[in-house]
Amino acid sequence: MATMESLIGLVNRIQRACTVLGDHGGEGSLWEALPSVAVVGGQSSGKSSVLESIVGRDFLPRGSGIVTRRPLVLQLHKMESGSEYAEFLHAPRRKYADFAAVRKEIADETDRITGKSKQISNVYSPHVVNLTLIDLPGLTKVAVEGQPESIVRDIEDMVRSYVEKPNCIILAISPANQDIATSDAIKLAREVDPSGERTFGVVTKLDLMDKGTNALDVLEGRSYRLQHPWVGIVNRSQADINKNVDMIAARRKEQEYFANSPDYGHLAHKMGSEYLAKLLSKHLESAIRARIPSIVALINKTIDELEAELDRLGRPIGADGGAQLYTILEMCRAFDRIFKEHLDGGRPGGDRIYGVFDNQLPAALKKLPFDRHLSLQNVRKVISEADGYQPHLIAPEQGYRRLIDSSLGYFKGPAEASVDAVHFVLKELVRKSIGETEELKRFPTLQSDIAAAANEALERFRDDSRKTVLRLVEMESAYLTVDFFRKLSHEPDKGSNPGSTPNTPAPDRYGDHHLRKIGSNVSAYVGMVCDTLKNTIPKAVVHCQVREAKRSLLNYFYAQVGGREKKQLSAMLDEDPTLMEKRNTIAKRLELYKHARDEIDSVGWK
């Protein structure tokens, strides 16, 4: 069975670790799941005196107006022996043995940072119980000179944001010399905890009530009933504070007051700051026991989420060169796998290459200026120039060849454009694949190196592809398909007279009809070549660019990386500082939650 000390001490340690890591805010955080005690009261209700009485030390700033201007989380740690001291989260390596210095540091830090952020202070003492208390700014009714008009609402909203949480135990402070019906603390507690299950009522300044009056109706629950007993407190008087009467003496004086009081003597064993601390500690233990199953469930859920997030961001890499080389190669393979998925259809983008062949290339071929190039005027010009000073005898073969050769030269433009279009698609797929490779996101330098290597390889593939498609066009020019023209020679001339005799004069070799026939023949041959290139250009482009990109995009890069020194490999794995910081934060949170789970498991709380 876990002791009260071990359970509350466990929660204190977990809360302290949470605050160190900044994991003490937001719905679903471990801090929010752990029970804590918030001290609520109006200005000058005696909140500070109650806290100092529980701690047993004079350490809080005092003054008129709003002294507590930001939440102060006070974690009390019971020591078996040793000297008392305090620590602050913002100065974790410094121990404050002088509590006057603690007061000054609280005031100074409040001046530096005023607002909703918590200020964390830890007090270690043999004279305290394990407890976490949150001192909240005092509620006020009106804004005084120098304060914004919104101060009343701002403070109430801040206080409400703490006490409305279901795991918050409310310590509602009300002065005895004020009607309980007008108590700011009780009014707010009733709104957020109407059943009173989480509220502990504290009546201060009992010794300052008018003679002949007492607070028995409140303390005995007749004026306003709570589920927990009301506790009366006698604060140090201003004279005691001025004389620096220590808290231990003040506690004794408080006990004597209740023991000797004719009004409260029968309640003396249930009054005083020492009893209040024990009462809160006991209730806090019960609250912790009741919530441990849900806390463990939250811890396990958060551990799973943090593990998944670390997997997504990537685990730390080994320091030796072999581990670094292995990591780089694994990243390259992951990128290469995604790149191939784009090409093969597993991811979008590869279909754009087919679009080049099915739409762009045919459209470019269709736009070639063959109508102008094979016009009657240009055919006559080319044929005449090819004949030179001796006109052709039977067929203008040189003219044919010149017309065909110059026509086929037009195919080079669409062929090269197809190569460039596919190159652009491949470069874009490299960029997308790098962005989609989760493992690479933490290594911007490696991303750049892979992108540079891949684009360099694509440039080589483009050069090979351009040479190949141009060679295809040049091959068509270098050797014409003779059978095509032989078939033409056996076809009757559509413009000739079938009944003509051998003595009929031959048509004019430079006549319009004859030149149109030459242009038509050349156009038919060019069309045949166009149909051939429409099939062979895509084959060449895929073979030289797409196939090679799938097979050997990073082969040259692999060879380079394999010969690099450890220092160079480390430089390639230089991570984004923001990502490193994020992973370190997650790793620390994961360690915190695992440690918290282990600590809870080690305590026999059932």
Side-chain angles (χ1 to χ4, degrees):
M1 176 70 71
T3 65
M4 180 169 67
E5 298 289 340
S6 62
L7 278 175
I8 301 177
L10 166 63
V11 170
N12 269 8
R13 290 193 298 275
I14 294 174
Q15 286 178 324
R16 175 170 170 74
C18 286
T19 56
V20 168
L21 291 180
D23 188 47
H24 53 87
E27 189 176 348
S29 70
L30 182 54
W31 174 279
E32 297 294 342
L34 296 171
S36 56
V37 180
V39 185
V40 183
Q43 283 187 39
S44 304
S45 61
K47 285 193 305 93
S48 297
S49 295
V50 171
L51 284 171
E52 289 180 334
S53 296
I54 291 173
V55 174
R57 280 288 189 170
D58 185 355
F59 69 99
L60 291 174
R62 294 179 179 275
S64 60
I66 301 174
V67 179
T68 305
R69 285 171 288 159
R70 61 186 292 207
L72 170 64
V73 178
L74 189 63
Q75 294 182 316
L76 308 182
H77 305 267
K78 183 172 180 60
M79 301 165 59
E80 293 303 322
S81 61
S83 301
E84 296 173 300
Y85 66 93
E87 286 182 344
F88 290 94
L89 180 64
H90 61 268
R93 293 180 180 83
R94 182 177 175 186
K95 293 183 179 181
Y96 293 78
D98 180 0
F99 280 78
V102 172
R103 183 191 305 114
K104 184 176 184 304
E105 183 60 26
I106 291 174
D108 291 346
E109 180 66 7
T110 300
D111 288 338
R112 285 192 290 267
I113 307 173
T114 298
K116 293 185 178 181
S117 61
K118 303 181 185 76
Q119 184 177 6
I120 315 296
S121 177
N122 291 270
V123 176
Y124 298 82
S125 170
H127 308 301
V128 299
V129 294
N130 286 313
L131 199 59
T132 295
L133 300 164
I134 305 174
D135 185 20
L136 296 170
L139 298 165
T140 184
K141 288 182 170 35
V142 294
V144 299
E145 187 177 351
Q147 294 176 344
E149 289 297 324
S150 63
I151 188 71
V152 176
R153 171 58 60 185
D154 292 343
I155 291 177
E156 183 177 334
D157 289 345
M158 183 194 299
V159 173
R160 186 184 296 273
S161 70
Y162 280 84
V163 298
E164 67 186 359
K165 294 180 174 66
N167 291 327
C168 179
I169 299 165
I170 304 169
L171 192 60
I173 311 294
S174 303
N177 53 3
Q178 174 186 321
D179 188 349
I180 198 69
T182 63
S183 168
D184 296 316
I186 291 299
K187 176 178 176 291
L188 183 59
R190 182 186 294 172
E191 291 175 8
V192 299
D193 180 33
S195 66
E197 292 179 359
R198 300 187 285 117
T199 303
F200 284 79
V202 177
V203 181
T204 61
K205 305 184 180 181
L206 290 169
D207 55 329
L208 300 182
M209 296 184 72
D210 293 337
K211 284 188 178 182
T213 62
N214 60 52
L216 282 176
D217 284 347
V218 176
L219 293 174
E220 293 179 344
R222 290 188 292 273
S223 293
Y224 183 77
R225 180 171 294 278
L226 295 172
Q227 292 198 20
H228 305 287
W230 284 82
V231 179
I233 298 289
V234 174
N235 303 330
R236 285 186 303 166
S237 66
Q238 190 60 49
D240 290 339
I241 295 172
N242 293 340
K243 293 176 184 176
N244 292 323
V245 174
D246 66 57
M247 298 306 301
I248 304 301
R251 281 183 183 177
R252 285 198 302 268
K253 188 175 179 180
E254 180 187 45
Q255 290 169 356
E256 291 170 1
Y257 172 84
F258 285 113
N260 300 325
S261 170
D263 293 325
Y264 311 118
H266 65 292
L267 298 175
H269 63 291
K270 294 181 180 179
M271 297 289 121
S273 55
E274 199 167 345
Y275 172 78
L276 175 62
K278 291 177 180 177
L279 182 67
L280 288 174
S281 188
K282 185 176 181 180
H283 181 77
L284 192 58
E285 179 206 10
S286 300
I288 292 168
R289 287 185 186 280
R291 287 173 174 79
I292 275 190
S294 61
I295 292 172
V296 171
L298 171 66
I299 288 174
N300 288 331
K301 175 176 175 288
T302 307
I303 286 174
D304 291 341
E305 291 172 351
L306 294 174
E307 292 275 14
E309 181 68 4
L310 266 187
D311 288 337
R312 190 184 69 79
L313 293 176
R315 301 283 178 168
I317 302 162
D320 61 290
Q324 292 175 341
L325 178 59
Y326 175 81
T327 299
I328 291 171
L329 295 179
E330 282 296 300
M331 303 286 175
C332 292
R333 292 187 189 103
F335 154 76
D336 199 43
R337 183 170 59 252
I338 291 174
F339 178 72
K340 288 175 181 175
E341 287 175 4
H342 277 292
L343 290 176
D344 294 333
R347 294 172 185 255
D351 55 308
R352 291 170 57 197
I353 294 175
Y354 176 71
V356 172
F357 303 144
D358 194 49
N359 300 313
Q360 183 174 324
L361 177 60
L365 293 173
K366 194 173 182 179
K367 290 178 182 177
L368 293 177
F370 292 129
D371 289 345
R372 177 170 52 81
H373 187 66
L374 296 177
S375 65
L376 186 65
Q377 182 181 0
N378 196 57
V379 170
R380 178 182 286 111
K381 176 177 178 293
V382 173
I383 294 295
S384 300
E385 289 176 353
D387 282 348
Y389 71 94
Q390 290 189 15
H392 59 272
L393 299 177
I394 300 175
E397 183 165 327
Q398 289 303 320
Y400 264 109
R401 288 188 179 279
R402 285 194 183 186
L403 281 170
I404 292 171
D405 189 59
S406 57
S407 296
L408 295 184
Y410 284 115
F411 288 126
K412 291 182 179 180
E416 288 187 294
S418 298
V419 170
D420 291 337
V422 170
H423 176 74
F424 178 81
V425 173
L426 291 174
K427 281 186 68 173
E428 182 63 17
L429 292 182
V430 164
R431 186 190 65 78
K432 287 182 67 175
S433 299
I434 288 175
E436 293 170 7
T437 306
E438 291 292 334
E439 298 92 331
L440 272 176
K441 288 184 177 178
R442 56 192 282 207
F443 303 114
T445 302
L446 183 57
Q447 286 183 43
S448 300
D449 290 346
I450 291 177
N455 289 329
E456 186 180 332
L458 291 179
E459 292 288 346
R460 293 197 303 272
F461 302 154
R462 177 171 66 171
D463 291 343
D464 290 343
S465 184
R466 180 181 285 116
K467 291 175 184 176
T468 301
V469 296
L470 292 178
R471 192 173 291 122
L472 287 175
V473 175
E474 290 165 359
M475 285 165 56
E476 294 293 344
S477 298
Y479 189 77
L480 304 182
T481 305
V482 180
D483 286 345
F484 178 86
F485 292 98
R486 284 176 179 167
K487 290 177 184 177
L488 288 178
S489 65
H490 295 295
E491 293 179 3
D493 187 349
K494 294 179 182 178
S496 64
N497 184 0
S500 62
T501 64
N503 294 325
T504 303
D508 183 0
R509 288 189 171 89
Y510 294 104
D512 290 355
H513 171 72
H514 188 58
L515 293 176
R516 284 195 187 94
K517 182 177 181 182
I518 292 173
S520 175
N521 291 341
V522 171
S523 178
Y525 184 79
V526 169
M528 180 192 73
V529 173
C530 181
D531 290 339
T532 300
L533 291 177
K534 204 181 293 183
N535 293 318
T536 55
I537 287 174
K539 293 177 187 293
V541 170
V542 169
H543 179 82
C544 296
Q545 289 175 266
V546 180
R547 176 173 167 269
E548 284 304 307
K550 288 176 65 176
R551 290 179 56 186
S552 58
L553 184 63
L554 294 179
N555 280 7
Y556 183 67
F557 183 66
Y558 290 147
Q560 281 185 316
V561 171
R564 291 184 181 177
E565 299 292 331
K566 178 180 177 298
K567 185 177 180 181
Q568 295 172 303
L569 297 176
S570 297
M572 293 175 69
L573 294 174
D574 182 25
E575 293 189 71
D576 180 352
T578 305
L579 204 59
M580 288 177 66
E581 184 179 350
K582 183 178 181 181
R583 186 172 63 251
N584 289 338
T585 300
I586 291 174
K588 287 178 181 177
R589 286 189 66 208
L590 180 60
E591 184 181 356
L592 160 66
Y593 277 74
K594 286 183 174 179
H595 181 68
R597 182 175 63 183
D598 292 342
E599 285 226 46
I600 291 174
D601 289 343
S602 68
V603 175
W605 52 271
K606 292 184 180 179

